[in-house]
């Protein structure tokens, strides 16, 4: 019998990779998108004819009821959120409503409409914030340092509460930073690789960035969506930290990206205070040993391979635009 999956946030980076993975596994895939005058399906163009698109919003419980009734999913992946940390400082209430309360509306609706469905919640390493230990695992205390991270902590605990209160299959994937050529241009990694490509092609002469010493555990998004799927295949729901266990600074990312085009980053990078966070998260590094032991999951793409992939793709995109 063909499994059915509903993905919220299907038009995003993770949503597109997850849709590909599930289609390869012969799932019937449904994607929830917000109503917009011009929906952005750029990441899904190659698989769009094989996906059922439903309109809905995490802020509207009635639309979730309709989507669940129509799709009758075996698995639900909640990837939708206001996910840009910088924007969360400018729009903290919206971020809380979509990223925090928005998730709460989902299991509440699932409980009444599709109680047997398994639910995955996209949690974030940003929840650790000002870390108390390194590396961080499933037992590390949360100390969120942005409205986005606070909303994710709320959603995390609501997932646990629905699991413990109603016996629902709800799990959290605490994913550390994961990137790809499909990453939004507003995120620092894609800003770097796009900037490098523009400088290489003579379309720009500098790259403006914020904190260069912040350290992150960066992996490839295509690897991480496989971990999401693995979590929902267990007999009982559990929460997992997902990451590479290797840490790199923003400066190291910059150095690697400029090295791909054989240019010295110091000639082009400008540190601008406008891009500094009000409260910075300085060091995130995953201890994903639980995922390795129970799921058998490990990152396949290295940091260097990921950066190379992103720079090469941005060069190709810009070169095509010039034709």
């Amino acid at each position: 019998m063909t499994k059915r999956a509903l993905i919220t946030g299907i038009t995003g980076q993770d949503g597109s990779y997850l849709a590909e993975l599930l289609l390869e596994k012969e799932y019937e895939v449904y994607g929830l998108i917000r109503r917009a005058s011009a929906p952005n399906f750029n990441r899904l163009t190659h698989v769009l004819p094989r996906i059922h698109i439903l309109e809905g919003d995490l802020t509207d419980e009635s639309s979730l009821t309709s989507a669940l009734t129509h799709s009758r999913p075996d698995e639900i992946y909640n990837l939708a959120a206001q996910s840009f940390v910088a924007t969360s400082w400018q729009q903290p209430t919206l971020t809380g409503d979509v990223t925090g309360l928005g998730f709460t509306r989902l299991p509440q609706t699932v409980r009444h409409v599709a109680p047997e469905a398994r639910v995955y919640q996209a949690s974030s390493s940003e929840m650790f914030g000002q870390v108390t230990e390194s590396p961080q695992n499933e037992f590390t205390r949360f100390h969120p340092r942005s409205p986005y991270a606070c909303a994710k902590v709320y959603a995390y605990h609501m997932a646990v509460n629905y699991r413990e209160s109603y016996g629902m299959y709800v799990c959290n994937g605490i994913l550390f930073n994961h990137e790809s050529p499909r990453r939004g241009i507003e995120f620092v990694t894609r800003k770097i690789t796009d900037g490098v490509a523009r400088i290489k092609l003579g379309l720009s002469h500098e790259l403006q960035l914020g904190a260069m010493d912040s350290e992150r555990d960066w992996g490839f998004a295509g690897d991480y969506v496989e971990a999401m799927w693995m979590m929902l295949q267990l007999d009982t729901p559990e929460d997992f930290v997902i990451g590479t266990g290797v840490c790199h600074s923003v400066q190291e990312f910059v150095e690697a990206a400029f090295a791909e085009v054989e240019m010295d980053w110091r000639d082009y990078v400008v540190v601008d205070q406008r891009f500094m966070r009000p409260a910075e998260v300085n060091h995130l590094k995953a201890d994903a040993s639980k995922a390795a032991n129970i799921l058998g999951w490990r990152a396949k793409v290295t940091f260097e391979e990921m950066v190379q992939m992103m720079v090469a793709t941005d060069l190709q995109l810009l070169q095509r635009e010039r034709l």
Side-chain angles (χ1 to χ4, degrees):
M1 182 177 174
T2 302
K3 281 189 174 182
R4 302 160 72 95
L6 174 66
I7 305 172
T8 73
I10 194 170
T11 59
Q13 169 189 254
D14 292 6
S16 65
Y17 281 113
L18 180 60
E20 287 178 352
L21 176 70
L22 295 179
L23 288 171
E24 288 173 4
K25 295 182 180 296
E26 301 185 343
Y27 277 63
E28 189 170 352
V29 177
Y30 291 78
L32 189 73
I33 66 166
R34 288 177 296 163
R35 179 72 178 91
S37 57
N40 182 6
F41 293 120
N42 291 344
R43 298 180 179 95
L44 294 171
T45 304
H46 57 302
V47 295
L48 194 57
R50 302 168 60 195
I51 296 172
H52 306 281
I53 297 296
L54 305 174
E55 288 187 0
D57 197 299
L58 292 181
T59 63
D60 179 26
E61 199 163 324
S62 64
S63 70
L64 298 178
T65 298
S66 177
L68 289 170
T69 301
H70 185 85
S71 59
R72 295 178 287 114
D74 300 291
E75 298 173 5
I76 302 165
Y77 297 85
N78 182 47
L79 310 184
Q82 191 303 97
S83 58
F84 189 39
V85 174
T87 296
S88 78
W89 288 106
Q90 303 302 318
Q91 302 182 54
T93 304
L94 173 68
T95 301
D97 192 23
V98 175
T99 306
L101 286 173
F103 169 72
T104 305
R105 296 181 185 100
L106 184 59
Q108 178 68 6
T109 306
V110 170
R111 188 165 71 92
H112 297 293
V113 180
E116 300 304 315
R118 299 184 171 196
V119 181
Y120 169 85
Q121 163 60 6
S123 290
S124 169
S125 60
E126 286 285 332
M127 299 189 303
F128 295 122
Q130 186 169 315
V131 297
T132 57
E133 62 182 12
S134 186
Q136 297 88 51
N137 60 32
E138 292 80 6
F139 299 101
T140 301
R141 182 174 67 89
F142 297 143
H143 187 150
R145 299 267 284 174
S146 68
Y148 166 76
C150 290
K152 281 292 187 182
V153 169
Y154 176 87
Y156 170 91
H157 285 299
M158 290 305 294
V160 174
N161 269 268
Y162 272 88
R163 182 170 72 217
E164 294 179 349
S165 300
Y166 300 108
M168 296 174 64
Y169 196 112
V170 187
C171 65
N172 288 286
I174 307 175
L175 272 57
F176 280 62
N177 294 63
H178 47 289
E179 317 299 324
S180 76
R182 301 180 192 176
R183 180 54 113 176
I185 198 69
E186 69 272 19
F187 290 86
V188 67
T189 52
R190 183 73 194 290
K191 180 180 179 180
I192 291 168
T193 60
D194 174 75
V196 167
R198 289 181 182 278
I199 290 169
K200 177 65 176 178
L201 297 175
L203 301 175
S204 181
H205 64 278
E206 71 175 21
L207 175 59
Q208 298 177 343
L209 297 171
M212 296 285 284
D213 57 351
S214 295
E215 296 177 325
R216 294 292 186 271
D217 183 331
W218 275 302
F220 174 57
D223 288 343
Y224 286 45
V225 298
E226 187 175 8
M228 299 177 189
W229 175 80
M230 288 177 169
M231 289 180 211
L232 294 195
Q233 311 315 306
L234 296 177
D235 291 336
T236 56
E238 297 189 42
D239 304 322
F240 290 90
V241 161
I242 301 296
T244 69
V246 180
C247 213
H248 295 277
S249 67
V250 173
Q251 180 172 317
E252 288 177 295
F253 196 110
V254 168
E255 291 172 354
F258 273 97
E260 288 299 319
V261 294
E262 300 180 331
M263 301 177 79
D264 189 336
W265 68 274
R266 289 166 291 194
D267 295 332
Y268 305 98
V269 173
V270 176
V271 175
D272 192 321
Q273 293 297 318
R274 291 179 302 159
F275 302 113
M276 300 291 187
R277 293 184 182 184
E280 187 56 71
V281 174
N282 296 313
H283 178 84
L284 294 175
K285 181 179 180 181
D287 172 6
S289 55
K290 179 182 176 182
N293 294 333
I294 296 178
L295 301 177
W297 181 89
R298 288 178 176 79
K300 301 171 186 174
V301 177
T302 67
F303 172 78
E304 292 77 16
E305 290 169 339
M306 181 191 68
V307 174
Q308 181 181 43
M309 183 193 314
M310 293 177 68
V311 172
T313 301
D314 278 326
L315 281 168
Q316 292 170 3
L317 288 172
L318 290 170
Q319 287 167 336
R320 282 203 297 267
E321 288 178 5
R322 297 174 69 180
L323 296 177

